[in-house]
Amino acid sequence: MSSSLRSRIIGLIVLLMGLSLLVRNLHIGRMLLLAGALLFFAVALFFGRSYLQRENDWWVILPAGLSFTIGATWLLSFAALLPTGLANVIFLLGAALSFWAIWMEKTRRPYSGLALYPALLLTAGALLAFLTYLHILQSEWLVPSLLLLTGLLLVFRNWSRRDR
């Protein structure tokens, strides 16, 4: 896949994500929510199929996973099965799972090992968002907690490298 095609596809995904947030904030309609969910599932299927056909394009795991996560969130919202406040948890967890899947490729792809850090941070973010949903953690503590965890991860990562 050429880099210009890759750029267009990634741009389309970002555009769809922005459109999804706009539609959600404007409360345009439930049928549009269903149509958007189906569109995101189609995009996830496209990227998932691309990975299965050509494993060298391991990076397509990320847009496939994110598109599937957004589609699932929209479908659950359409069906009124998603409690208020859980959409963030589902999105962060879905994004984390995408990075975990890329990280699992580390034995065959040398650069995929770097996916560990966003996977850990997104997993921690999902946990913190879930604690916020349960009212165990107040929402204004979410961003500082993530920044603290990121700082700790970077500090300990650098210490472990220096000791080798």
Side-chain angles (χ1 to χ4, degrees):
M1 186 176 289
S2 70
S3 64
S4 64
L5 180 60
R6 215 176 303 161
S7 297
R8 286 186 209 142
I9 291 171
I10 291 172
L12 180 64
I13 294 295
V14 171
L15 179 72
L16 289 173
M17 290 170 75
L19 181 63
S20 72
L21 293 172
L22 182 66
V23 167
R24 186 185 73 177
N25 290 341
L26 292 176
H27 306 287
I28 292 178
R30 291 178 46 80
M31 290 314 289
L32 196 52
L33 197 61
L34 179 61
L38 295 176
L39 179 66
F40 276 108
F41 283 138
V43 170
L45 184 64
F46 169 77
F47 280 114
R49 185 176 157 265
S50 295
Y51 173 70
L52 292 174
Q53 287 180 338
R54 187 175 153 102
E55 288 186 13
N56 289 336
D57 291 339
W58 56 269
W59 61 271
V60 297
I61 294 171
L62 187 59
L66 291 176
S67 297
F68 181 81
T69 301
I70 293 171
T73 305
W74 278 32
L75 189 61
L76 290 171
S77 294
F78 171 77
L81 297 174
L82 187 64
T84 305
L86 272 185
N88 295 337
V89 176
I90 291 173
F91 178 75
L92 289 170
L93 198 55
L97 288 173
S98 299
F99 277 103
W100 283 116
I102 291 173
W103 178 74
M104 290 171 63
E105 289 281 320
K106 72 181 184 295
T107 57
R108 295 185 293 162
R109 313 280 185 254
Y111 296 111
S112 63
L114 296 174
L116 176 64
Y117 303 111
L120 286 171
L121 292 173
L122 287 165
T123 302
L127 176 65
L128 292 172
F130 186 67
L131 292 175
T132 301
Y133 170 74
L134 295 176
H135 303 293
I136 294 173
L137 183 69
Q138 294 179 356
S139 61
E140 58 266 8
W141 291 94
L142 186 63
V143 172
S145 298
L146 278 176
L147 289 173
L148 179 69
L149 288 171
T150 304
L152 286 172
L153 178 69
L154 292 173
V155 166
F156 285 118
R157 180 177 157 253
N158 287 332
W159 273 347
S160 66
R161 279 189 179 173
R162 194 178 316 151
D163 292 340
R164 288 182 201 170

